Amino acid sequence: MQGAVKLKPTVPVPEPAAASAVSVRHLHVRFGDRNNEFTALSDISVDIPEGAFVTMLGPSGCGKSTLLRCIADLIHISEGSISVFGRSPREAREGRDFAFVFQDATLLPWRTVLDNVCLPLEVGKRSHNGDHADPRALLEMVGLKGRENALPHELSGGMRQRVAIARALVTRPRILLMDEPFGALDEITRDRLNEELLRVWQETGTTILFVTHSIPEAAFLGQKVLMLQAHPGRVKEFKEVDLPFPRSLPVRDTVEFIGVTAHLRARLEECL
Amino acid sequence: MSEVLSSSRKTESLPDRKIALLDATAGVFAKHMPAILAATGLVVLWQFVVWFFKIPTFMAPAPVDVFLAFRDNAGILWTNLLPTVLETILGFIFGNLVAILLAIWFVHSATAEKAFYPIAVFIKAIPIIALAPILVLIFGNGLAPKIIIAGLICFFPTLVNMVQGLKSASPAMLDLMRVLSASNTEILWKVRLPSSMPFLFAALKIAATSSVMGAIVAEWIGSSFGLGALIIEATYNFRSPLLYATVVIAAALAVVLFFIVSVVEAKMVRWKPGGTH
């Protein structure tokens, strides 16, 4: 089991692998005190297959980000369990099993691009294995070769998000948790980064769990789409996207793609 | 051949550099020309008013008298400047250091903040000039009460700014550090302290000028040395040109400290606050 988990397929298989990267069981998350309680997530059970690219879609307030943050050990679980590669979120966090990419690039503005990418190697418990990627090679992979010594304020929003992705990959995470990382970018930049993210996924074989508001983005990136509905947040659908890989932007003009987005849109409207 | 070339280049480059230096100096003058003209104009006006209305020197000395006072009293001014500089700098260092350490403690302990912040506000509310005699009674006539007062005057602005600066790290940055399993010490050194730097320097610039004021005010009360004592002495003896010269020196000291803090800030804070938000 442990040996199988350690394998990182360079080209992910479309059908889910036997092992699951993240396994959520009867998860409940409540906020507030007893008098004014708010249920953010109610009885969520889902398995994210290892090596998969799963996108999370749902109306505002459905708890997509909350679920992602629970997996990342940023939010306390009220009930139920989450296991990340067979460990608790806390152990997984300390063992550097996952990396998180925020909507905002959250680069440290006083550090150069290269120093920002190196940040995860400087902090945290040293218990995780010393295995890490070459920061310069990662910057080259995200198309920022030659900008190593730039400061974040000298870069565009899209470039900053590329740095954030390189920083997330530097510890060779087994799962990448992405919380609307391209939500604040213009459409052209977003399209290009979508394509590049697919390429990064295929090159690294990392499992990716990707939260988005955009139906086309969810359909274009995801092998599977996890749709949540709100009040309280629960799983609406966990749907396979039947589009072949590798995908490139023109796939969005095919009948198959439009069929997928039409289905997702219809299901999303049922949530309202 | 090459030697000839390099030597000729040297002789060429030297005047070039001189010209560049001259250009830079001329540029600075051109930039500050309105300020220079205004200041010169005011001094000339002052000289003219004193001369025209025949104002006695003890009441208000003319600029020329003040200028002569610098020459005649160079020794006294210098020996009294040194203790004031020492008190100012030590007060600046201790006042700000205590404020920074206290701010770090407050950010890590809400209880400490709740307990001591009101006390800090209360200390701030005591007029410094009322505090000086108390400190002289406790610590005597030496350097100690002056350093304490110069420090106290720096303390509060730095504390307030530093607490705000340490808390200015965005929630997303703190989430990032948590995902990286960073310890509180790592968060302090890698995120909180760097992000507080613009806030700290804003306070240090205030402290640079006010610490001079603190030292001088402290020297007014029961002191036989320092610029503050010299101000009192010159006033009581109607040595107005000396009084004015002392005031000019005190102001120059504050400006120099302000300038030093600004230079250090320019070296340390090269990033733009809020550039990535």
Side-chain angles (χ1 to χ4, degrees):
Chain A
M1 182 65 191
Q2 198 66 354
V5 160
K6 271 193 177 162
L7 277 174
K8 284 178 182 171
T10 46
V11 178
V13 279
E15 60 267 20
S20 54
V22 179
S23 169
V24 181
R25 289 287 169 273
H26 305 294
L27 175 72
H28 295 259
V29 173
R30 297 178 201 97
F31 293 126
D33 52 25
R34 220 164 277 169
N35 303 323
N36 192 10
E37 201 177 68
F38 167 71
T39 305
L41 292 173
S42 168
D43 199 22
I44 304 252
S45 292
V46 71
D47 282 293
I48 309 296
E50 188 181 1
F53 199 137
V54 174
T55 50
M56 255 204 276
L57 194 60
S60 303
C62 70
K64 310 181 287 281
S65 291
T66 307
L67 178 54
L68 202 68
R69 287 171 161 264
C70 285
I71 297 169
D73 192 31
L74 287 171
I75 291 179
H76 182 70
I77 299 169
S78 308
E79 211 180 294
S81 70
I82 295 178
S83 97
V84 182
F85 293 103
R87 306 203 264 185
S88 74
R90 187 203 164 97
E91 289 164 345
R93 166 168 67 77
E94 286 174 353
R96 293 290 170 82
D97 280 345
F98 58 78
F100 204 101
V101 180
F102 299 86
Q103 176 168 12
D104 187 271
T106 56
L107 303 179
L108 303 182
W110 48 87
R111 282 178 166 241
T112 63
V113 164
L114 186 64
D115 287 345
N116 264 293
V117 173
C118 292
L119 178 74
L121 307 176
E122 295 170 20
V123 299
K125 295 197 172 163
R126 307 276 174 225
S127 59
H128 68 90
N129 53 2
D131 177 40
H132 66 83
D134 174 20
R136 287 176 189 277
L138 282 174
L139 281 172
E140 194 176 342
M141 183 170 80
V142 297
L144 283 173
K145 190 178 164 63
R147 303 306 302 271
E148 289 87 352
N149 294 318
L151 286 171
H153 71 85
E154 296 165 343
L155 304 179
S156 67
M159 286 166 137
R160 288 208 285 268
Q161 206 53 272
R162 286 166 206 249
V163 178
I165 291 170
R167 177 180 62 193
L169 291 172
V170 77
T171 50
R172 290 191 201 278
R174 299 164 79 182
I175 177 162
L176 201 52
L177 306 171
M178 306 183 87
D179 191 2
E180 291 186 49
F182 308 142
L185 303 177
D186 65 88
E187 199 161 344
I188 309 250
T189 311
R190 189 177 188 154
D191 285 348
R192 287 188 55 189
L193 283 171
N194 276 344
E195 253 189 339
E196 284 174 29
L197 184 61
L198 279 183
R199 186 172 53 78
V200 167
W201 173 58
Q202 301 199 306
E203 279 176 23
T204 58
T206 303
T207 311
I208 298 183
L209 190 51
F210 187 104
V211 169
T212 178
H213 265 120
S214 154
I215 295 171
E217 191 172 60
F220 178 69
L221 291 174
Q223 282 177 313
K224 293 182 99 177
V225 178
L226 177 63
M227 194 184 290
L228 300 187
Q229 69 185 104
H231 312 301
R234 56 198 187 278
V235 177
K236 171 88 176 168
E237 186 179 36
F238 194 24
K239 188 191 155 46
E240 206 77 44
V241 178
D242 288 324
L243 296 167
F245 284 94
R247 293 176 191 166
S248 58
L249 289 172
V251 82
R252 299 186 305 179
D253 299 323
T254 61
V255 178
E256 292 80 6
F257 185 84
I258 291 162
V260 172
T261 52
H263 168 85
L264 291 174
R265 185 165 285 117
R267 299 287 283 163
L268 208 52
E269 269 163 16
E270 289 171 20
C271 298
L272 298 175
Chain B
M1 183 64 187
S2 65
E3 268 174 31
V4 173
L5 268 178
S6 66
S7 68
S8 72
R9 225 175 266 151
K10 249 180 217 165
T11 48
E12 262 176 26
S13 68
L14 209 65
D16 274 0
R17 212 179 292 158
K18 265 186 189 167
I19 288 167
L21 201 67
L22 271 175
D23 275 357
T25 321
V28 170
F29 270 107
K31 196 177 148 199
H32 297 290
M33 195 45 95
I36 293 166
L37 282 180
T40 317
L42 283 175
V43 171
V44 169
L45 181 71
W46 170 17
Q47 178 77 44
F48 180 76
V49 166
V50 169
W51 171 78
F52 187 80
F53 292 101
K54 297 192 171 55
I55 296 170
T57 306
F58 74 87
M59 217 171 120
V64 172
D65 298 325
V66 177
F67 187 77
L68 291 176
F70 274 111
R71 193 196 59 191
D72 298 338
N73 302 295
I76 302 177
L77 285 169
W78 180 249
T79 47
N80 284 292
L81 171 65
L82 288 180
T84 307
V85 169
L86 188 69
E87 293 152 13
T88 303
I89 289 175
L90 287 178
F92 181 83
I93 291 172
F94 286 121
N96 288 309
L97 199 65
V98 171
I100 291 168
L101 293 177
L102 213 54
I104 291 172
W105 189 31
F106 283 3
V107 167
H108 287 97
S109 160
T111 319
E113 185 171 3
K114 273 183 204 157
F116 291 105
Y117 210 96
I119 297 177
V121 175
F122 180 74
I123 289 173
K124 166 68 186 168
I126 303 173
I128 277 297
I129 202 146
L131 205 61
I134 297 175
L135 289 172
V136 169
L137 286 177
I138 298 173
F139 295 103
N141 258 340
L143 287 176
K146 286 106 185 168
I147 294 169
I148 291 170
I149 285 178
L152 270 178
I153 223 164
C154 301
F155 169 77
F156 195 74
T158 303
L159 177 70
V160 172
N161 267 290
M162 196 64 191
V163 167
Q164 202 191 342
L166 290 170
K167 287 180 176 174
S168 73
S170 71
M173 273 185 201
L174 297 177
D175 278 347
L176 170 74
M177 293 306 275
R178 185 172 154 78
V179 168
L180 295 174
S181 306
S183 65
N184 276 340
T185 318
E186 282 169 333
I187 294 174
L188 177 68
W189 283 105
K190 305 261 180 206
V191 175
R192 286 197 189 275
L193 280 175
S195 57
S196 74
M197 282 301 131
F199 294 83
L200 175 63
F201 275 103
L204 290 186
K205 281 186 200 163
I206 300 171
T209 50
S210 53
S211 60
V212 178
M213 187 178 81
I216 287 176
V217 165
E219 284 163 352
W220 281 356
I221 290 128
S223 180
S224 50
F225 55 83
L227 292 181
L230 194 59
I231 287 173
I232 297 287
E233 199 188 301
T235 311
Y236 288 166
N237 295 323
F238 295 105
R239 293 172 71 183
S240 302
L242 176 61
L243 169 66
Y244 277 56
T246 315
V247 170
V248 169
I249 295 242
L253 174 59
V255 169
V256 166
L257 286 178
F258 184 89
F259 183 73
I260 292 170
V261 173
S262 302
V263 168
V264 175
E265 181 185 27
K267 289 250 180 261
M268 278 185 73
V269 187
R270 285 163 186 274
W271 50 283
K272 290 191 177 161
T276 56
H277 297 311

